[in-house]
Amino acid sequence: MDLELSPRYIEFRDECRTWLHENRPTEEFSSMDSAAGFEQHRGWERTLFEGSWSVPAWPAAYGGRDCDLIEWLIYEEEYWLSGVPGRVSANGVSLLAPTVFNFGTKAQQDYFLPRMASGEQIWAQGWSEPEAGSDLAGIKTTAVRDGDDYVVNGQKTWCSRGKYADWIFCIVRTDPTAERHAGLSYLLVPADAPGMTRRTIQRLDGESGFAEIFFDDCRVSADHVLGEPGQGWAVAMAAAGSERGLNLRSPGRFMAAAERLRRLAAELGETADGLDARLRDEVVDAWIRAEAYRWQTYFVTAELMAGGDLGSEASLMKVFWSEMDLELHATALRLLGDEAEVPSDWLDGYVFALGGPIYAGTNEIQRNIIAERVLGLPRR
Amino acid sequence: MHFSFTEEHDMFRDTVREVFAGECSAEAIRTSWESDDGRVPGLWATLAEVGVLATMAPTEAGGLGMDEVASVRLLEEAGYAGVPEPLMEHMAVAVPALAVAGASELLDPALSGGSTVTLALASGGPNVVAAASADLVIAEHSESLVAVDAEALTVTPKDSIDQSRRLFEISFDPDAAHPLAGADVALAADRAALGTAAQCVGVARRLLDTTVEYVTERRQFGKPVGTYQAVKHHLANVRLGIEFSAPLVYRAAWSVAHCDDSVLRGRDVSMAKAMASDAVDRACRAALQCHGAIGYTFEYDLQIWLKRGWSLSGAYGDARQHRDRVADALGLLP
C-alpha cells in the first residue's frame, strides 16, 4: 500500500491543473440543454480535444493520452476542482465509448471514436421508453432489416441531450419473436436519419432537460449495429456497468462539491453566530462521504488495475454517489435557509441531484442488484 | 498510489481468521462470559505464537515490524469473530507505546503473551476494559502515558451490556507508575479509535453474513424472507455502509503509519471512525430487524455481535464526536 502520488503522477496532476487554469473559459456558459448552450459546450469539447484533454484515458490514436486509471481519477479531480464547464459529451465518452472499444468493429471505432473525442458528434442515450423504464427488457421499439438498412419504429424517452445530440445510441428489438432480453440489438442512429422527430421535455424546474424521440419508418444503415444483432442486452449491460460506476461519476466531482459546501458553511459560520451544530454535522458528513467515495474508488481501481472486474459492485457506487450528491445539496439549501428557494447554483445542483437516484437505473433496482448479485439473496 | 494490501498482509489475515474460527467460536465466547477472568482459554497464547501480539513492535525489539496497515486487517477479523479479549488495546496501542518508550522489561512479556495490557485513555472514557485480568495498564496521566502494574491499581467493576467487555473504573498512585518517555497520547488515542473502527467494520461484516444466511433459510408465506424487497434493501444498505467505511479505515491506517501531520492524521482517523460507527449501527439495526424475534433472544448468537456493535460504535468516540473532530480540522468549529 502506498497512498502518496509518485513523482510521475504529481507531474501529471500539475500539467493537468496548469492546462485547465490556462484554458478555462472566461465567458458564462448557458445550459447545455439550450440550443446556444449546447454549441457553447461543444466549443469547450473542441478546446479540450485540441489540448488532448477530452478523453485522456483513450489511446493516443483516438485523441487520448493512454492514461491509466489513477491518472484518469487525478484528471477528474482537477477537472472538477478547476470549475470549468460540465461535459456535454458525457453520454458518448462515458457510456458509449467503452462499448465501442469492446464491441465495435475496427471501422466503427475509426469512424466514431475520433469524432466523439473532438465534440464533432455528441451523443444521447436512447434506452428508456414510455413503457420500459427500470424494466428495460420490456422495450418495444422495433428495427426490422430491409436490405442494407434497419427500419425503426417506436419511441424513446428521457433522452438526456436528446434534443440537440448528433447521434443516439439505442436499444431496439430486432427479433420480434424473441422476448425480454433476447432479440435486442444496439443500434447507433444519426439524428438526421429520415423518420426521426424529437421533442423537448421540460424538467420539473421548467428548464429543458431531456427529449423524447419518435421513430416513424426511420431508416438506419445496418452497419450501425454495435456488436452482433441480438446481442443488444449484453452490450447494454456492459454500458450500464460504466454508467453506474467509475465512468459516469468520478469522485472528483463530489470532492469539489463537498469543498464548495465546506466553504459555504465556513462563510455562513463567520457571518452568523456560528453554525448550527446539526447543520455542521451534515456538512462534515457530506465531506466525509466524498472522501469515502474517493478512497473506495481508489481501492476498487487497484483491483481493476490488477485485472479485476467491477461487475455488480458498480451498483454500490451508483447508490452511494447519487444519495451523497442529493444529501450534500439538500444540506446546502438548509444552510441557505430563506434564500434556498431563490435560484442559485446550489438550487440548480439540488434539482439535478434529485434525478440521481432515478436515472442510470433507479436506486431501488440497484439495491435489488446489490442484494441478489453481491450478497447472493434469493430472487424468488 | 497503490491502494491495496500485500500478499503478506493477506496471508497474515488468513492465518488469524483461521485461529479465530478454530479457537474463538460463539460457544467459546459464551464460556468466557461465565468465567472469572472473561478470557478465552488458550487464545492469547496462540495469538502470541502466530505473532499477532507482536505485529506492531519493531523487529529489533522482537516484533514483526509491521504497522497499522497490517493491524487494522487483523482487528477487522477480531471484530468478525467477536473476540472478547483486549486485543486492540494490547496489540495496536500498548505494544507500540511500550516499544517507543524502550520499556523492554514490560514489552517482552507483552509480545510473548506472558502479559496482557489494557488501556486507560481519556478518549476512551472512564471505563477501562479488562482492567482486573490485565497485568498492566497503559494510562493517560498529566498529558502523558504511564504504565501501571496490576498490583498498583484499584479497580471497581461496572457492568456492560456487552458481556465481552469487563469494565472497571480504575485509580492508581501516579508515583507507582512507570513513565513512558516518548509515547505520544494523541497518537495512542488515534490508534485506539482506528483499531476500534476496524473492529466495527468486522462486526458489521459478521452481522451481514449471519443475516444473509438467516433470511435465505427462513421461510414465510411459502418462500425465503430474503426474497422480499424490503428485507433485501435493509441488507443492501448494510453492505453499502461496509463498502464505503472499510476503505476509509485502511486509508486512515496508512495515515497513522506514514503521516507526520497530526491534524491530518487525526482527521483521517475520525473520518474512518465516524463512518465505521455509522456502518455498524446500521448493521445492528438491520440484522435484528431481519432476524425478527429470534434475534432478540439471549439464546441466539446474534446478540454477541449486536452487543459488540453497540459498544464498539461508541468506544473511543462515537460518530458525532468524530465528526466534530473532522469539523475542527476543516475549520468549521468556532
Side-chain angles (χ1 to χ4, degrees):
Chain A
M1 188 177 293
D2 179 5
L3 304 188
E4 295 285 358
L5 292 181
S6 62
R8 174 170 78 90
Y9 288 135
I10 290 174
E11 199 179 311
F12 175 85
R13 184 192 65 191
D14 292 346
E15 186 188 352
C16 187
R17 185 176 290 177
T18 304
W19 189 90
L20 286 164
H21 181 74
E22 287 173 355
N23 291 277
R24 181 182 165 161
T26 46
E27 76 274 20
E28 279 283 307
F29 269 50
S30 308
S31 161
M32 65 174 76
D33 289 312
S34 65
F38 190 86
E39 291 309 317
Q40 233 177 348
H41 281 81
R42 192 200 294 274
W44 170 238
E45 291 295 324
R46 183 79 205 172
T47 306
L48 285 167
F49 175 69
E50 284 164 1
S52 300
W53 286 112
S54 70
V55 286
W58 290 14
Y62 294 123
R65 290 173 174 252
D66 292 291
C67 282
D68 66 21
L69 273 171
I70 302 280
E71 286 170 324
W72 182 74
L73 290 170
I74 292 169
Y75 162 78
E76 286 280 311
E77 288 179 12
E78 293 302 321
Y79 188 93
W80 293 102
L81 273 175
S82 72
V84 295
R87 301 292 303 271
V88 70
S89 67
N91 286 314
V93 169
S94 306
L95 302 184
L96 176 60
T99 54
V100 173
F101 279 113
N102 277 341
F103 296 92
T105 62
K106 181 75 169 58
Q108 286 173 329
Q109 291 174 348
D110 289 347
Y111 178 74
F112 288 117
L113 293 172
R115 288 167 178 79
M116 200 186 298
S118 69
E120 181 187 335
Q121 294 179 349
I122 290 172
W123 288 80
Q125 182 184 21
W127 284 20
S128 292
E129 296 182 3
E131 300 303 322
S134 290
D135 184 10
L136 188 61
I139 64 157
K140 294 196 178 81
T141 296
T142 57
V144 177
R145 185 71 186 249
D146 180 30
D148 292 336
D149 293 336
Y150 279 98
V151 179
V152 185
N153 280 285
Q155 180 188 350
K156 294 291 178 182
T157 191
W158 319 130
C159 308
S160 299
R161 317 287 98 75
K163 175 69 175 168
Y164 304 107
D166 307 294
W167 281 74
I168 297 124
F169 54 96
C170 297
I171 309 174
V172 294
R173 197 163 285 288
T174 41
D175 181 355
T177 63
E179 289 190 358
R180 305 285 300 163
H181 308 85
L184 301 174
S185 298
Y186 214 73
L187 189 62
L188 310 179
V189 184
D192 58 3
M196 179 196 294
T197 49
R198 302 189 276 181
R199 194 179 76 83
T200 300
I201 304 172
Q202 285 181 310
R203 294 195 318 204
L204 58 83
D205 60 354
E207 297 293 320
S208 54
F210 20 49
E212 52 188 344
I213 300 176
F214 302 88
F215 301 97
D216 187 11
D217 286 335
C218 175
R219 296 190 81 88
V220 181
S221 165
D223 292 342
H224 295 334
V225 172
L226 185 63
E228 296 300 317
Q231 203 189 0
W233 187 258
V235 179
M237 288 305 101
S242 316
E243 182 180 30
R244 286 165 199 160
L246 281 178
N247 287 323
L248 184 62
R249 295 287 182 256
S250 69
R253 183 187 184 106
F254 306 108
M255 289 161 60
E259 179 53 22
R260 283 199 305 277
L261 181 69
R262 187 195 70 79
R263 271 189 245 132
L264 175 70
E267 283 163 21
L268 291 174
E270 276 172 23
T271 52
D273 300 329
L275 274 178
D276 172 78
R278 276 178 67 169
L279 277 175
R280 184 178 64 225
D281 206 51
E282 288 181 23
V283 171
V284 171
D285 196 47
W287 210 87
I288 294 175
R289 281 170 187 279
E291 281 289 303
Y293 185 53
R294 177 193 199 192
W295 290 105
Q296 188 265 0
T297 301
Y298 276 116
F299 199 66
V300 167
T301 297
E303 287 172 22
L304 293 177
M305 289 172 83
D309 182 20
L310 192 56
S312 308
E313 302 223 334
S315 293
L316 288 157
M317 301 175 87
K318 196 268 164 169
V319 171
F320 192 81
W321 63 248
S322 59
E323 295 180 0
M324 160 175 68
D325 198 30
L326 187 49
E327 289 306 323
L328 189 156
H329 285 89
T331 297
L333 296 190
R334 279 192 281 274
L335 279 169
L336 293 171
D338 291 339
E339 294 299 317
E341 66 178 303
V342 180
S344 68
D345 286 350
W346 285 113
L347 187 58
D348 283 349
Y350 178 69
V351 171
F352 183 77
L354 281 170
I358 301 171
Y359 64 74
T362 65
N363 285 11
E364 286 71 25
I365 294 289
Q366 304 303 338
R367 284 187 163 88
N368 289 351
I369 293 171
I370 295 165
E372 290 165 12
R373 299 195 206 145
V374 180
L375 301 180
L377 288 175
R379 296 197 63 175
R380 55 179 65 85
Chain B
M1 173 67 68
H2 184 69
F3 194 14
S4 69
F5 293 96
T6 61
E7 209 170 305
E8 187 188 21
H9 289 140
D10 286 345
M11 282 168 61
F12 199 14
R13 191 261 324 262
D14 292 346
T15 303
V16 170
R17 182 181 287 176
E18 277 171 39
V19 168
F20 290 145
E23 298 193 26
C24 192
S25 64
E27 198 186 342
I29 292 168
R30 283 179 184 270
T31 307
S32 80
W33 290 359
E34 302 303 322
S35 72
D36 287 341
D37 63 2
R39 312 286 304 255
V40 176
L43 180 59
W44 204 249
T46 309
L47 290 174
E49 197 178 308
V50 298
V52 172
L53 302 186
T55 308
M56 300 266 297
T59 46
E60 55 273 22
L64 300 188
M66 298 173 95
D67 60 21
E68 285 79 2
V69 173
S71 69
V72 290
R73 219 79 202 288
L74 309 183
L75 289 168
E76 206 176 320
E77 292 304 317
Y80 192 90
V83 173
E85 305 278 354
L87 179 62
M88 184 284 288
E89 290 81 356
H90 181 105
M91 67 91 88
V93 187
V95 161
L98 291 171
V100 78
S104 56
E105 74 288 358
L106 300 175
L107 180 63
D108 291 346
L111 302 187
S112 68
S115 71
T116 304
V117 191
T118 189
L119 277 187
L121 300 179
S123 65
N127 304 322
V128 177
V129 173
S133 58
D135 303 285
L136 195 69
V137 178
I138 304 296
E140 184 172 341
H141 179 72
S142 302
E143 293 172 15
S144 57
L145 291 181
V146 296
V148 188
D149 294 320
E151 304 85 74
L153 280 181
T154 308
V155 302
T156 313
K158 287 172 88 168
D159 285 336
S160 168
I161 178 87
D162 180 3
Q163 285 88 338
S164 293
R165 283 164 71 87
R166 302 280 173 108
L167 300 182
F168 302 88
E169 290 200 21
I170 68 166
S171 60
F172 58 88
D173 174 3
D175 293 337
H178 314 271
L180 294 175
D184 178 16
V185 175
L187 177 59
D190 278 339
R191 282 178 170 145
L194 172 68
T196 309
Q199 292 180 93
C200 287
V201 171
V203 172
R205 288 193 199 279
R206 180 61 170 260
L207 287 164
L208 179 59
D209 285 357
T210 305
T211 310
V212 164
E213 200 177 323
Y214 180 78
V215 302
T216 304
E217 301 282 317
R218 169 74 176 168
R219 297 174 76 86
Q220 287 287 273
F221 304 101
K223 54 183 183 175
V225 297
T227 58
Y228 295 103
Q229 211 168 30
V231 171
K232 282 182 172 155
H233 288 193
H234 276 312
L235 297 182
N237 288 338
V238 175
R239 184 67 176 72
L240 281 161
I242 294 167
E243 177 77 14
F244 290 92
S245 55
L248 275 189
V249 171
Y250 308 150
R251 190 273 184 286
W254 196 87
S255 287
V256 175
H258 297 276
C259 182
D260 296 328
D261 182 333
S262 64
V263 173
L264 290 183
R265 181 192 75 202
R267 184 200 68 184
D268 288 348
V269 167
S270 284
M271 290 200 294
K273 182 61 164 66
M275 281 289 280
S277 288
D278 281 346
V280 79
D281 284 344
R282 176 184 273 188
C284 287
R285 290 268 185 103
L288 179 54
Q289 186 65 25
C290 293
H291 274 81
I294 190 72
Y296 196 75
T297 62
F298 192 83
E299 185 187 348
Y300 199 75
D301 286 336
L302 186 73
Q303 57 122 336
I304 296 172
W305 286 272
L306 292 178
K307 291 168 176 176
R308 298 259 72 191
W310 296 333
S311 62
L312 294 174
S313 161
Y316 294 98
D318 64 13
R320 191 190 49 77
Q321 288 168 316
H322 281 284
R323 279 196 293 266
D324 274 353
R325 205 157 73 118
V326 177
D328 197 15
L330 294 181
L332 294 176
L333 282 189

Short mmCIF file of all heavy atoms in Angstrom, two decimals, chain A residues 16-49:
data_model
loop_
_atom_site.label_atom_id
_atom_site.label_comp_id
_atom_site.label_asym_id
_atom_site.label_seq_id
_atom_site.Cartn_x
_atom_site.Cartn_y
_atom_site.Cartn_z
N CYS A 16 -2.01 18.87 -15.76
CA CYS A 16 -3.45 18.93 -15.91
C CYS A 16 -4.01 20.22 -15.30
O CYS A 16 -4.79 20.94 -15.92
CB CYS A 16 -3.95 17.70 -15.15
SG CYS A 16 -5.63 17.37 -15.29
N ARG A 17 -3.55 20.52 -14.10
CA ARG A 17 -4.02 21.71 -13.37
C ARG A 17 -3.66 22.98 -14.14
O ARG A 17 -4.49 23.87 -14.31
CB ARG A 17 -3.37 21.71 -11.98
CG ARG A 17 -3.86 22.81 -11.07
CD ARG A 17 -3.24 22.68 -9.69
NE ARG A 17 -3.75 21.52 -8.96
CZ ARG A 17 -3.32 21.17 -7.75
NH1 ARG A 17 -2.37 21.84 -7.14
NH2 ARG A 17 -3.83 20.11 -7.14
N THR A 18 -2.43 23.01 -14.64
CA THR A 18 -1.97 24.20 -15.36
C THR A 18 -2.78 24.40 -16.64
O THR A 18 -3.24 25.51 -16.93
CB THR A 18 -0.47 24.03 -15.73
OG1 THR A 18 0.24 23.79 -14.52
CG2 THR A 18 0.07 25.26 -16.41
N TRP A 19 -3.00 23.30 -17.36
CA TRP A 19 -3.74 23.44 -18.62
C TRP A 19 -5.17 23.93 -18.36
O TRP A 19 -5.66 24.84 -19.04
CB TRP A 19 -3.76 22.09 -19.35
CG TRP A 19 -4.32 22.25 -20.74
CD1 TRP A 19 -3.63 22.52 -21.88
CD2 TRP A 19 -5.71 22.21 -21.11
NE1 TRP A 19 -4.49 22.65 -22.94
CE2 TRP A 19 -5.77 22.46 -22.51
CE3 TRP A 19 -6.90 21.99 -20.41
CZ2 TRP A 19 -6.98 22.49 -23.20
CZ3 TRP A 19 -8.10 22.03 -21.10
CH2 TRP A 19 -8.13 22.27 -22.48
N LEU A 20 -5.81 23.34 -17.37
CA LEU A 20 -7.19 23.74 -17.08
C LEU A 20 -7.24 25.21 -16.65
O LEU A 20 -8.14 25.95 -17.05
CB LEU A 20 -7.78 22.84 -15.98
CG LEU A 20 -8.16 21.42 -16.42
CD1 LEU A 20 -8.34 20.51 -15.22
CD2 LEU A 20 -9.42 21.43 -17.29
N HIS A 21 -6.27 25.61 -15.88
CA HIS A 21 -6.23 27.00 -15.42
C HIS A 21 -6.04 27.95 -16.61
O HIS A 21 -6.72 28.97 -16.72
CB HIS A 21 -5.09 27.17 -14.41
CG HIS A 21 -4.99 28.55 -13.86
ND1 HIS A 21 -5.90 29.05 -12.95
CD2 HIS A 21 -4.11 29.56 -14.12
CE1 HIS A 21 -5.58 30.31 -12.66
NE2 HIS A 21 -4.49 30.63 -13.35
N GLU A 22 -5.16 27.57 -17.51
CA GLU A 22 -4.85 28.46 -18.64
C GLU A 22 -5.93 28.47 -19.70
O GLU A 22 -6.07 29.43 -20.45
CB GLU A 22 -3.50 28.05 -19.28
CG GLU A 22 -2.32 28.42 -18.40
CD GLU A 22 -1.01 27.87 -18.93
OE1 GLU A 22 -1.02 27.13 -19.94
OE2 GLU A 22 0.04 28.18 -18.31
N ASN A 23 -6.69 27.40 -19.78
CA ASN A 23 -7.69 27.29 -20.85
C ASN A 23 -9.13 27.42 -20.38
O ASN A 23 -10.06 27.23 -21.14
CB ASN A 23 -7.51 25.97 -21.60
CG ASN A 23 -6.23 25.96 -22.40
OD1 ASN A 23 -6.18 26.46 -23.51
ND2 ASN A 23 -5.16 25.45 -21.79
N ARG A 24 -9.28 27.74 -19.13
CA ARG A 24 -10.61 27.86 -18.56
C ARG A 24 -11.39 28.97 -19.26
O ARG A 24 -10.92 30.10 -19.38
CB ARG A 24 -10.45 28.19 -17.07
CG ARG A 24 -11.73 28.32 -16.33
CD ARG A 24 -11.44 28.70 -14.89
NE ARG A 24 -12.67 29.16 -14.30
CZ ARG A 24 -12.89 29.23 -13.01
NH1 ARG A 24 -11.94 28.87 -12.17
NH2 ARG A 24 -14.04 29.65 -12.56
N PRO A 25 -12.60 28.66 -19.76
CA PRO A 25 -13.37 29.69 -20.46
C PRO A 25 -13.68 30.86 -19.54
O PRO A 25 -13.94 30.65 -18.35
CB PRO A 25 -14.67 28.97 -20.85
CG PRO A 25 -14.37 27.52 -20.75
CD PRO A 25 -13.31 27.37 -19.70
N THR A 26 -13.64 32.06 -20.10
CA THR A 26 -13.90 33.23 -19.26
C THR A 26 -15.37 33.63 -19.32
O THR A 26 -15.87 34.26 -18.39
CB THR A 26 -13.03 34.42 -19.73
OG1 THR A 26 -13.13 34.50 -21.15
CG2 THR A 26 -11.58 34.21 -19.34
N GLU A 27 -16.06 33.26 -20.43
CA GLU A 27 -17.45 33.70 -20.55
C GLU A 27 -18.39 32.78 -19.76
O GLU A 27 -18.03 31.65 -19.45
CB GLU A 27 -17.88 33.76 -22.03
CG GLU A 27 -18.17 32.42 -22.70
CD GLU A 27 -16.93 31.75 -23.28
OE1 GLU A 27 -15.79 32.09 -22.86
OE2 GLU A 27 -17.10 30.85 -24.12
N GLU A 28 -19.57 33.29 -19.43
CA GLU A 28 -20.60 32.49 -18.77
C GLU A 28 -21.14 31.46 -19.77
O GLU A 28 -21.35 31.79 -20.93
CB GLU A 28 -21.75 33.39 -18.32
CG GLU A 28 -21.51 34.13 -17.03
CD GLU A 28 -21.68 33.23 -15.81
OE1 GLU A 28 -22.75 32.59 -15.70
OE2 GLU A 28 -20.74 33.15 -14.99
N PHE A 29 -21.37 30.27 -19.31
CA PHE A 29 -21.95 29.25 -20.18
C PHE A 29 -23.45 29.12 -19.90
O PHE A 29 -23.86 29.09 -18.74
CB PHE A 29 -21.26 27.90 -19.95
CG PHE A 29 -20.09 27.67 -20.86
CD1 PHE A 29 -19.10 28.63 -21.00
CD2 PHE A 29 -19.97 26.47 -21.58
CE1 PHE A 29 -18.01 28.41 -21.85
CE2 PHE A 29 -18.90 26.25 -22.43
CZ PHE A 29 -17.92 27.22 -22.56
N SER A 30 -24.24 29.04 -20.98
CA SER A 30 -25.67 28.75 -20.81
C SER A 30 -25.84 27.26 -20.60
O SER A 30 -24.92 26.47 -20.83
CB SER A 30 -26.45 29.16 -22.06
OG SER A 30 -26.16 30.49 -22.41
N SER A 31 -27.04 26.86 -20.22
CA SER A 31 -27.34 25.45 -20.01
C SER A 31 -27.03 24.64 -21.26
O SER A 31 -27.36 25.06 -22.37
CB SER A 31 -28.82 25.27 -19.66
OG SER A 31 -29.21 23.92 -19.88
N MET A 32 -26.42 23.49 -21.09
CA MET A 32 -26.09 22.64 -22.24
C MET A 32 -27.35 22.06 -22.87
O MET A 32 -27.29 21.47 -23.94
CB MET A 32 -25.09 21.54 -21.86
CG MET A 32 -25.59 20.51 -20.89
SD MET A 32 -24.41 19.16 -20.65
CE MET A 32 -23.16 19.90 -19.61
N ASP A 33 -28.51 22.25 -22.22
CA ASP A 33 -29.75 21.78 -22.80
C ASP A 33 -30.53 22.89 -23.50
O ASP A 33 -31.71 22.75 -23.79
CB ASP A 33 -30.61 21.10 -21.72
CG ASP A 33 -29.98 19.77 -21.30
OD1 ASP A 33 -29.63 18.98 -22.20
OD2 ASP A 33 -29.82 19.53 -20.09
N SER A 34 -29.85 24.02 -23.76
CA SER A 34 -30.42 25.04 -24.65
C SER A 34 -29.62 25.00 -25.95
O SER A 34 -28.48 24.52 -25.96
CB SER A 34 -30.30 26.43 -24.01
OG SER A 34 -28.93 26.80 -23.87
N ALA A 35 -30.23 25.52 -27.03
CA ALA A 35 -29.56 25.44 -28.34
C ALA A 35 -28.21 26.15 -28.30
O ALA A 35 -27.20 25.61 -28.74
CB ALA A 35 -30.47 26.05 -29.42
N ALA A 36 -28.21 27.36 -27.73
CA ALA A 36 -26.95 28.13 -27.70
C ALA A 36 -25.95 27.49 -26.75
O ALA A 36 -24.77 27.37 -27.07
CB ALA A 36 -27.24 29.56 -27.28
N GLY A 37 -26.44 27.07 -25.59
CA GLY A 37 -25.55 26.47 -24.59
C GLY A 37 -24.94 25.18 -25.09
O GLY A 37 -23.78 24.87 -24.80
N PHE A 38 -25.70 24.42 -25.86
CA PHE A 38 -25.20 23.16 -26.41
C PHE A 38 -23.98 23.43 -27.29
O PHE A 38 -22.94 22.76 -27.16
CB PHE A 38 -26.30 22.46 -27.21
CG PHE A 38 -25.98 21.06 -27.62
CD1 PHE A 38 -26.24 20.00 -26.77
CD2 PHE A 38 -25.42 20.79 -28.87
CE1 PHE A 38 -25.94 18.69 -27.15
CE2 PHE A 38 -25.12 19.49 -29.25
CZ PHE A 38 -25.39 18.44 -28.39
N GLU A 39 -24.08 24.44 -28.16
CA GLU A 39 -22.97 24.75 -29.06
C GLU A 39 -21.78 25.34 -28.30
O GLU A 39 -20.62 25.08 -28.63
CB GLU A 39 -23.42 25.68 -30.19
CG GLU A 39 -24.37 25.00 -31.18
CD GLU A 39 -23.83 23.65 -31.72
OE1 GLU A 39 -22.63 23.54 -32.03
OE2 GLU A 39 -24.63 22.68 -31.80
N GLN A 40 -22.10 26.13 -27.24
CA GLN A 40 -21.03 26.67 -26.39
C GLN A 40 -20.23 25.51 -25.77
O GLN A 40 -19.00 25.50 -25.78
CB GLN A 40 -21.68 27.45 -25.25
CG GLN A 40 -21.18 28.84 -25.08
CD GLN A 40 -21.96 29.55 -23.97
OE1 GLN A 40 -23.00 29.09 -23.48
NE2 GLN A 40 -21.44 30.70 -23.58
N HIS A 41 -20.97 24.54 -25.26
CA HIS A 41 -20.32 23.38 -24.63
C HIS A 41 -19.57 22.55 -25.67
O HIS A 41 -18.53 21.97 -25.38
CB HIS A 41 -21.33 22.52 -23.88
CG HIS A 41 -21.72 23.07 -22.54
ND1 HIS A 41 -22.66 24.07 -22.39
CD2 HIS A 41 -21.28 22.77 -21.29
CE1 HIS A 41 -22.78 24.36 -21.11
NE2 HIS A 41 -21.97 23.59 -20.41
N ARG A 42 -20.10 22.51 -26.88
CA ARG A 42 -19.39 21.78 -27.94
C ARG A 42 -18.04 22.45 -28.21
O ARG A 42 -17.03 21.78 -28.42
CB ARG A 42 -20.23 21.74 -29.22
CG ARG A 42 -19.68 20.76 -30.26
CD ARG A 42 -20.17 21.04 -31.67
NE ARG A 42 -21.59 20.85 -31.88
CZ ARG A 42 -22.17 19.69 -32.19
NH1 ARG A 42 -21.46 18.60 -32.28
NH2 ARG A 42 -23.47 19.63 -32.40
N GLY A 43 -18.05 23.77 -28.17
CA GLY A 43 -16.80 24.51 -28.35
C GLY A 43 -15.78 24.16 -27.28
O GLY A 43 -14.58 24.01 -27.56
N TRP A 44 -16.26 24.01 -26.05
CA TRP A 44 -15.37 23.63 -24.94
C TRP A 44 -14.81 22.23 -25.17
O TRP A 44 -13.64 21.95 -24.90
CB TRP A 44 -16.12 23.74 -23.61
CG TRP A 44 -15.41 23.17 -22.42
CD1 TRP A 44 -15.88 22.18 -21.61
CD2 TRP A 44 -14.11 23.52 -21.91
NE1 TRP A 44 -14.97 21.90 -20.62
CE2 TRP A 44 -13.87 22.70 -20.78
CE3 TRP A 44 -13.13 24.43 -22.31
CZ2 TRP A 44 -12.69 22.77 -20.05
CZ3 TRP A 44 -11.95 24.50 -21.57
CH2 TRP A 44 -11.74 23.68 -20.46
N GLU A 45 -15.65 21.33 -25.71
CA GLU A 45 -15.18 19.98 -26.05
C GLU A 45 -14.02 20.06 -27.06
O GLU A 45 -13.04 19.33 -26.96
CB GLU A 45 -16.31 19.13 -26.64
CG GLU A 45 -17.41 18.75 -25.66
CD GLU A 45 -16.92 17.84 -24.54
OE1 GLU A 45 -16.07 16.98 -24.81
OE2 GLU A 45 -17.38 18.01 -23.40
N ARG A 46 -14.18 20.97 -28.02
CA ARG A 46 -13.15 21.14 -29.05
C ARG A 46 -11.83 21.63 -28.42
O ARG A 46 -10.76 21.13 -28.75
CB ARG A 46 -13.67 22.18 -30.08
CG ARG A 46 -12.76 22.41 -31.25
CD ARG A 46 -12.89 21.31 -32.27
NE ARG A 46 -11.67 21.18 -33.07
CZ ARG A 46 -11.46 20.19 -33.94
NH1 ARG A 46 -12.37 19.24 -34.12
NH2 ARG A 46 -10.34 20.15 -34.62
N THR A 47 -11.98 22.59 -27.50
CA THR A 47 -10.78 23.10 -26.81
C THR A 47 -10.08 21.97 -26.05
O THR A 47 -8.86 21.83 -26.10
CB THR A 47 -11.18 24.22 -25.83
OG1 THR A 47 -11.92 25.21 -26.54
CG2 THR A 47 -9.96 24.87 -25.19
N LEU A 48 -10.87 21.20 -25.33
CA LEU A 48 -10.31 20.07 -24.58
C LEU A 48 -9.59 19.12 -25.53
O LEU A 48 -8.47 18.66 -25.27
CB LEU A 48 -11.42 19.30 -23.85
CG LEU A 48 -12.02 19.95 -22.60
CD1 LEU A 48 -13.30 19.23 -22.20
CD2 LEU A 48 -11.02 19.91 -21.44
N PHE A 49 -10.25 18.84 -26.66
CA PHE A 49 -9.69 17.90 -27.62
C PHE A 49 -8.36 18.40 -28.18
O PHE A 49 -7.39 17.64 -28.29
CB PHE A 49 -10.71 17.69 -28.76
CG PHE A 49 -10.21 16.83 -29.88
CD1 PHE A 49 -10.00 15.48 -29.68
CD2 PHE A 49 -9.94 17.38 -31.13
CE1 PHE A 49 -9.54 14.67 -30.73
CE2 PHE A 49 -9.49 16.58 -32.17
CZ PHE A 49 -9.28 15.23 -31.97
#
